[in-house]
Amino acid sequence: MARFWQDAARKKVSRRRVLKGAALSAAGIAGAAAFACAGDEEGGTPGVPPSPTPSEEQEPVIGGMGNGTMADLYNMDPHKPIAFLTHVFGSWTYNRLMRFATQRGILPDELWYEPVPELAQKIENPEPLTFIFTLHPEARWHDIDPVFGREVTAEDVIYNYERFRNLSPNKDDWAMVDSVTASPDTKQITIKLKHPYGLFLKRVASFNDLWLVAPELIEKDGDAEKRAVGSGPFIFEHYRRSVDFLWRKNPDYFEKDKWGNRLPYLDGLHLYVIPDPNTVMSQFLAKKLDATYVQAALLNDIRAQAPEARINKNLRNLTSFLYFEPASYTENKPPFNDIRVRRAISMAIDRDGLLKLISPEEGGEWPNIISAGMGRKWWVDPKSEEMGEPGKWYRYDPAEAKALLKAAGYEDGFECRFHYSSTVYTNIITYYPVVAEALPGLMREVDIRLTSVPEDYIGQYFPQTYSQGNFDGMAWGLLTVLPDAAGYIEMSYLPWGKGGARNMSRVDDPELVRNITDAVQTWDVDEVCQKLRQIQKYVSDKMYYVPGVNPYEYSASWPVGGGGVNTSGPTTYSFGTEGTMWAWRYKGM
């Protein structure tokens, strides 16, 4: 066993400490965690039978309170940040014109990220560059101050589009839009595009972009930071930092199920902020929480102590990667300006070893800039023949990595700082901190000596290191879940400020930009897919960003609820209308 893995084994999560916490949990939180995420209830993997679910024909149970967990927000206004949690938060309160397909139980792979109507009841495409969205006739804003249940109009959508275009860091997701206009009767919105864009409706349905906020709220409060008023399935009550979030059912929500029941089924939703993963686990084992994410190292203990709990697994659509200080590309600053150094770093990562450490039962996949969770149609496996020559840069080979470093003038290696988030991810992406702790050891094997710099997600990591590139050395990151493969490539490699909202290293490659533009400005989705697959091979050779791992992740839940949708994926941030809205709680549980 390599020295690194001997060290890693000694640093595994202390099971005794966690389970001791469970025994002390009697005074814990009242209820928590079952309906925050549809995937949590049943979880699953394509080809693997999921936990038992209510049949398609079983009529739901109305009423009851959903309880869950949630992390503190960077901010609440959905048009301002790019932090994923704000979009998760907004999904219970707001609507989009479209959302992604849902289905009770397993959603077939071919329907992953399939746009379907939400606030727009009908979508027409009378000529290639024109799309007409007709609003649902029963859509109303929440019946509270300052809108008091008035009708949602096309003018409201225009207001939100203009605000999104002026404020949002994600505004370039809609860069293909030429104009957005309202019909005289305010029932329809017409969107004209500048050029072909085959993935346009996926952008309309995106859970990262155009959430619709009541205009009067913005006019009265100045923004959506203090209150949240929308037309979504739940009415926001309060957010108390480091304590909890509370919503109640929107009794006038416009959508109904096939039995005629008005959605959502639950009376409300209560989410608690519990930053300590040991406390979360102890609360779950004490049945104070209905569901929780689980570190793989604790799976057997959870099974032993909670044999009736469902253990679920999922391959999330989340890319992990190392990124470098922007001066590497903007000022040609050593050492990361040298392609040999970047390839050496990739070859120093023992991806299979990491997967065994963080997901010992199922392992996982190697991502490139796109992960397997996006769906195999869009992902090029770095281990596949299709990846070709660039595939060798993904292989774990410390000797070759050292040879590359020597050729680059770093025979004795080098020192640098290593930044990562020490909060937020610890509970909801349980492998992130484990890999963050393991990477310095792997780099040390090739004489790259990292000084770890743990950073608070809200105070430093997200606003400075991740969002602005204000850091030195290298950093460990996660690329947010996106609803289409083009988004990953556009955001990572287009110039900063011109579509590259996640280009935190400021990669500037004119040939790559031309190829991306050519790929996405096409109507034929299959052609888009093939061109994006070619780009994945190109960027794998350049190693502008060094991909990490894509493990199977685990969660555990008590069998208290039903109605889980999309239990095999895809990953989404829209827990509101793509999950919670369809969930119910059995009487007496």
Side-chain angles (χ1 to χ4, degrees):
M1 177 183 286
R3 187 173 75 243
F4 164 72
W5 292 117
Q6 292 174 337
D7 293 341
R10 286 195 291 271
K11 292 179 180 177
K12 279 185 176 181
V13 176
S14 167
R15 290 180 294 180
R16 175 173 295 180
R17 184 163 73 96
V18 170
L19 298 178
K20 181 180 178 181
L24 300 174
S25 63
I29 298 164
F35 303 98
C37 171
D40 279 352
E41 290 188 83
E42 308 296 346
T45 303
V48 177
S51 303
T53 61
S55 72
E56 178 66 24
E57 298 305 317
Q58 180 177 344
E59 191 162 356
V61 178
I62 309 297
M65 197 72 182
N67 300 287
T69 55
M70 177 79 173
D72 273 324
L73 300 178
Y74 178 66
N75 61 1
M76 286 173 48
D77 193 323
H79 296 158
K80 287 185 176 180
I82 57 173
F84 72 102
L85 284 170
T86 298
H87 300 300
V88 173
F89 164 82
S91 73
W92 289 294
T93 304
Y94 305 119
N95 283 118
R96 298 153 288 173
L97 289 174
M98 302 181 75
R99 62 168 173 257
F100 292 109
T102 61
Q103 176 175 298
R104 191 181 291 182
I106 294 175
L107 184 73
D109 290 13
E110 60 269 23
L111 293 180
W112 284 23
Y113 300 114
E114 179 71 18
V116 298
E118 185 170 294
L119 196 66
Q121 187 182 48
K122 184 172 67 174
I123 296 93
E124 299 169 276
N125 185 203
E127 55 98 3
L129 294 177
T130 300
F131 292 83
I132 300 174
F133 301 83
T134 302
L135 295 177
H136 195 290
E138 296 184 35
R140 299 286 186 277
W141 296 109
H142 295 157
D143 191 11
I144 57 176
D145 179 65
V147 279
F148 301 106
R150 74 166 175 82
E151 182 181 6
V152 179
T153 69
E155 294 292 348
D156 296 330
V157 178
I158 305 297
Y159 180 95
N160 276 271
Y161 169 71
E162 294 295 338
R163 188 169 187 266
F164 168 79
R165 192 176 66 169
N166 289 326
L167 291 181
S168 176
N170 294 344
K171 60 186 176 185
D172 288 332
D173 289 355
W174 285 48
M176 75 294 288
V177 172
D178 182 49
S179 65
V180 182
T181 56
S183 63
D185 65 359
T186 74
K187 305 293 185 186
Q188 292 182 322
I189 302 99
T190 297
I191 299 180
K192 291 184 177 293
L193 305 188
K194 300 172 184 173
H195 50 72
Y197 199 91
L199 303 180
F200 172 62
L201 291 182
K202 291 181 186 287
R203 297 297 170 90
V204 176
S206 170
F207 33 77
N208 297 318
D209 295 330
L210 189 57
W211 293 105
L212 300 173
V213 182
E216 290 91 331
L217 176 72
I218 304 301
E219 296 301 311
K220 188 171 184 177
D221 291 6
D223 56 31
E225 293 292 354
K226 297 176 284 296
R227 296 187 290 168
V229 181
S231 56
F234 294 92
I235 298 174
F236 176 68
E237 290 286 320
H238 71 237
Y239 164 39
R240 298 181 296 184
R241 183 166 291 277
S242 302
V243 180
D244 66 346
F245 300 77
L246 181 65
W247 287 263
R248 60 182 170 86
K249 176 178 183 173
N250 175 7
D252 304 313
Y253 190 63
F254 59 90
E255 291 191 84
K256 298 177 182 177
D257 67 13
K258 65 181 181 182
W259 295 280
N261 299 308
R262 192 175 291 277
L263 296 165
Y265 301 130
L266 293 170
D267 290 333
L269 186 67
H270 204 167
L271 308 181
Y272 299 87
V273 179
I274 311 174
D276 177 35
N278 292 327
T279 302
V280 172
M281 191 58 64
S282 67
Q283 297 298 320
F284 174 76
L285 289 174
K287 297 190 176 181
K288 303 298 182 183
L289 299 177
D290 293 329
T292 181
Y293 293 103
V294 180
Q295 288 199 16
L298 299 176
L299 279 174
N300 289 336
D301 297 287
I302 293 295
R303 289 186 175 114
Q305 296 214 7
E308 70 272 41
R310 300 168 179 168
I311 301 297
N312 312 302
K313 61 184 178 184
N314 214 308
L315 194 64
R316 279 202 272 181
N317 181 16
L318 200 61
T319 297
S320 60
F321 60 99
L322 285 168
Y323 56 106
F324 307 109
E325 57 183 326
S328 306
Y329 301 118
T330 60
E331 300 173 23
N332 203 31
K333 180 182 176 183
F336 307 116
N337 63 330
D338 194 312
I339 191 173
R340 294 166 294 187
V341 172
R342 301 194 299 270
R343 288 169 172 171
I345 289 171
S346 181
M347 299 186 83
I349 298 176
D350 182 357
R351 293 178 174 83
D352 284 337
L354 287 172
L355 288 171
K356 187 175 181 181
L357 177 69
I358 58 185
S359 185
E361 294 189 356
E362 300 296 336
E365 303 289 356
W366 297 3
N368 61 76
I369 199 64
I370 294 173
S371 80
M374 186 75 244
R376 293 184 180 274
K377 174 179 179 179
W378 298 95
W379 166 66
V380 177
D381 185 348
K383 292 183 282 189
S384 68
E385 290 185 6
E386 181 183 358
M387 180 57 80
E389 187 74 6
K392 68 182 180 184
W393 309 126
Y394 288 89
R395 289 199 297 268
Y396 176 54
D397 190 339
E400 179 61 22
K402 283 187 173 183
L404 285 168
L405 289 172
K406 181 179 179 180
Y410 299 100
E411 185 174 7
D412 298 324
F414 58 84
E415 298 179 351
C416 79
R417 285 155 60 89
F418 173 60
H419 304 254
Y420 62 93
S421 170
S422 59
T423 59
V424 174
Y425 292 152
T426 54
N427 275 341
I428 54 182
I429 305 159
T430 57
Y431 72 87
Y432 176 91
V434 180
V435 178
E437 191 171 298
L439 283 171
L442 287 169
M443 293 299 125
R444 196 161 49 243
E445 296 288 326
V446 297
D447 295 325
I448 297 176
R449 299 172 293 281
L450 302 183
T451 299
S452 293
V453 185
E455 298 174 340
D456 175 63
Y457 179 86
I458 293 176
Q460 177 66 29
Y461 181 81
F462 176 73
Q464 296 300 322
T465 300
Y466 187 87
S467 295
Q468 297 301 317
N470 291 333
F471 70 100
D472 56 350
M474 68 170 77
W476 172 231
L478 296 169
L479 187 53
T480 193
V481 176
L482 298 173
D484 64 76
Y488 288 94
I489 289 173
E490 289 176 305
M491 285 191 168
S492 299
Y493 301 111
L494 291 181
W496 178 259
K498 297 180 180 179
R502 270 37 171 222
N503 188 353
M504 58 281 291
S505 290
R506 311 296 190 267
V507 174
D508 184 12
D509 182 333
E511 178 184 349
L512 179 55
V513 171
R514 284 194 298 272
N515 289 338
I516 293 171
T517 302
D518 175 66
V520 300
Q521 293 186 11
T522 305
W523 284 125
D524 187 326
V525 173
D526 289 334
E527 184 180 345
V528 174
C529 179
Q530 290 308 311
K531 290 180 176 178
L532 294 180
R533 294 181 78 89
Q534 292 299 319
I535 290 173
Q536 290 175 63
K537 291 186 279 186
Y538 178 86
V539 298
S540 291
D541 191 52
K542 298 292 186 182
M543 281 291 165
Y544 291 126
Y545 297 98
V546 175
V549 290
N550 185 200
Y552 284 100
E553 297 177 73
Y554 300 89
S555 62
S557 61
W558 300 110
V560 299
V565 299
N566 296 4
T567 54
S568 63
T571 312
T572 177
Y573 291 155
S574 183
F575 295 161
T577 55
E578 293 174 17
T580 314
M581 186 171 75
W582 307 95
W584 70 79
R585 191 178 187 92
Y586 291 115
K587 297 291 185 185
M589 292 185 174

